[in-house]
Amino acid sequence: MEIPRLPLSCSPKVKQVLDCALLAPVKTERQIWENSMLEDDPNANCSVVPEKKESGPRWGPEHRGAQELANLYSRGKRIQECICVAVCLTLMAVNSVFILAHIKIEKLSSIVAAAFFGILTADFCSGFVHWAADTWGSVELPIIGKNFLRPFREHHIDPTSITRHDFIETNGDNFMVTIPFLGRMVWDFLTLPEDDVQKKFAWNCYVFLLAIFVAMTNQIHKWSHTYFSLPLWVVFLQDWHIILPRRHHRIHHVAPHETYFCITTGWLNWPMEKLRFWSALEYLIELTTGYKPRADDLKWAEKRN
């Protein structure tokens, strides 16, 4: 099978300068294709060496660990997600009205800059949370284990499971995170005099775009695993790398899932990988605590039969 070439991230000259001993290499094309799941054929498991046999499915809906993790999704968790989605969408709508009512054209450049950095911050936050939940902790931990770490473990051994989740299950937790910040914005708009509202307006635009992209991160993540019937406008945003592209995110799903953690836009993945940002953090944590990264992730991955 012919392996498509990934597009270069920079010119050859710049790439040569960056690929020095101080910078880490990124995944090769063959590593990606041999170790990532075909999204359109969940049980194929390998696109380059299909003749290779395993004792059980390496990943996909038939993986026993994936089935056990899916069954841990509870009614209480569903109720929490429904409430969070409803509250968050209400706060977004209210804040949108306030922003439109107070926006001033002469401040448009600062508003655009604030919005851009809000999106960039959301990408970093998605990477940090994704890295932390993928790398550390256990499903057996009280409260956070089954409620928040479980989906990360399930996703690595059944990546297409996210495409079978509805809007509530996909986005409930991310919407919950934004509620305090959106609530504070509403409070500011309701209580502050106009002069103070204008002084904080760029900041509030930063927070608002940060909150929107944080809230939508898992939906964007879901789209990056959806290879059929995506709306044309979503495909356009992916193709222009305004949101996380499908092919770009596939690099994260090369076992053992230790890179490309940012899943909102993915803009920060390449530079953070080249700088060894995540591996350096893992080294320091393992050095000081003795805990090995992704030990719980590996345990669930090994439950094949």
Side-chain angles (χ1 to χ4, degrees), residues 50-239:
E51 69 278 3
K52 184 177 180 181
K53 301 297 182 184
E54 301 279 352
S55 59
R58 293 166 67 190
W59 42 64
E62 301 305 316
H63 190 290
R64 184 168 68 88
Q67 294 172 348
E68 289 182 23
L69 288 163
N71 290 332
L72 293 176
Y73 184 63
S74 65
R75 184 172 180 271
K77 177 65 174 172
R78 178 72 176 186
I79 293 172
Q80 170 248 307
E81 291 171 344
C82 289
I83 294 172
C84 290
V85 168
V87 173
C88 180
L89 288 176
T90 301
L91 290 173
M92 282 184 181
V94 172
N95 277 306
S96 296
V97 172
F98 280 127
I99 287 173
L100 291 174
H102 291 88
I103 195 169
K104 292 186 181 298
I105 301 300
E106 59 268 23
K107 294 185 177 180
L108 192 58
S109 59
S110 62
I111 292 170
V112 171
F116 171 78
F117 283 107
I119 296 170
L120 203 64
T121 305
D123 196 42
F124 174 80
C125 290
S126 75
F128 187 83
V129 172
H130 189 185
W131 166 79
D134 272 5
T135 309
W136 309 107
S138 165
V139 175
E140 282 72 37
L141 286 173
I143 302 175
I144 67 169
K146 290 183 180 180
N147 288 309
F148 299 106
L149 298 183
R150 176 197 65 82
F152 291 87
R153 302 294 177 268
E154 179 188 8
H155 184 61
H156 281 175
I157 49 181
D158 184 8
T160 55
S161 64
I162 193 172
T163 66
R164 302 189 295 274
H165 296 168
D166 64 9
F167 186 84
I168 299 295
E169 186 176 356
T170 299
N171 300 297
D173 289 339
N174 285 56
F175 276 50
M176 176 185 66
V177 171
T178 67
I179 289 174
F181 304 98
L182 293 171
R184 176 55 191 264
M185 281 184 62
V186 171
W187 177 258
D188 284 347
F189 281 122
L190 288 173
T191 61
L192 294 178
E194 179 64 20
D195 287 347
D196 290 341
V197 166
Q198 290 302 323
K199 288 177 183 177
K200 294 187 67 174
F201 195 77
W203 170 256
N204 278 333
C205 289
Y206 166 82
V207 172
F208 190 59
L209 265 294
L210 170 59
I212 287 177
F213 273 79
V214 166
M216 292 301 295
T217 287
N218 239 20
Q219 185 63 50
I220 294 170
H221 183 199
K222 178 179 177 177
W223 287 331
S224 76
H225 285 280
T226 305
Y227 278 70
F228 304 98
S229 304
L230 275 177
L232 290 178
W233 64 271
V234 173
V235 176
F236 173 84
L237 293 176
Q238 290 177 334
D239 288 346

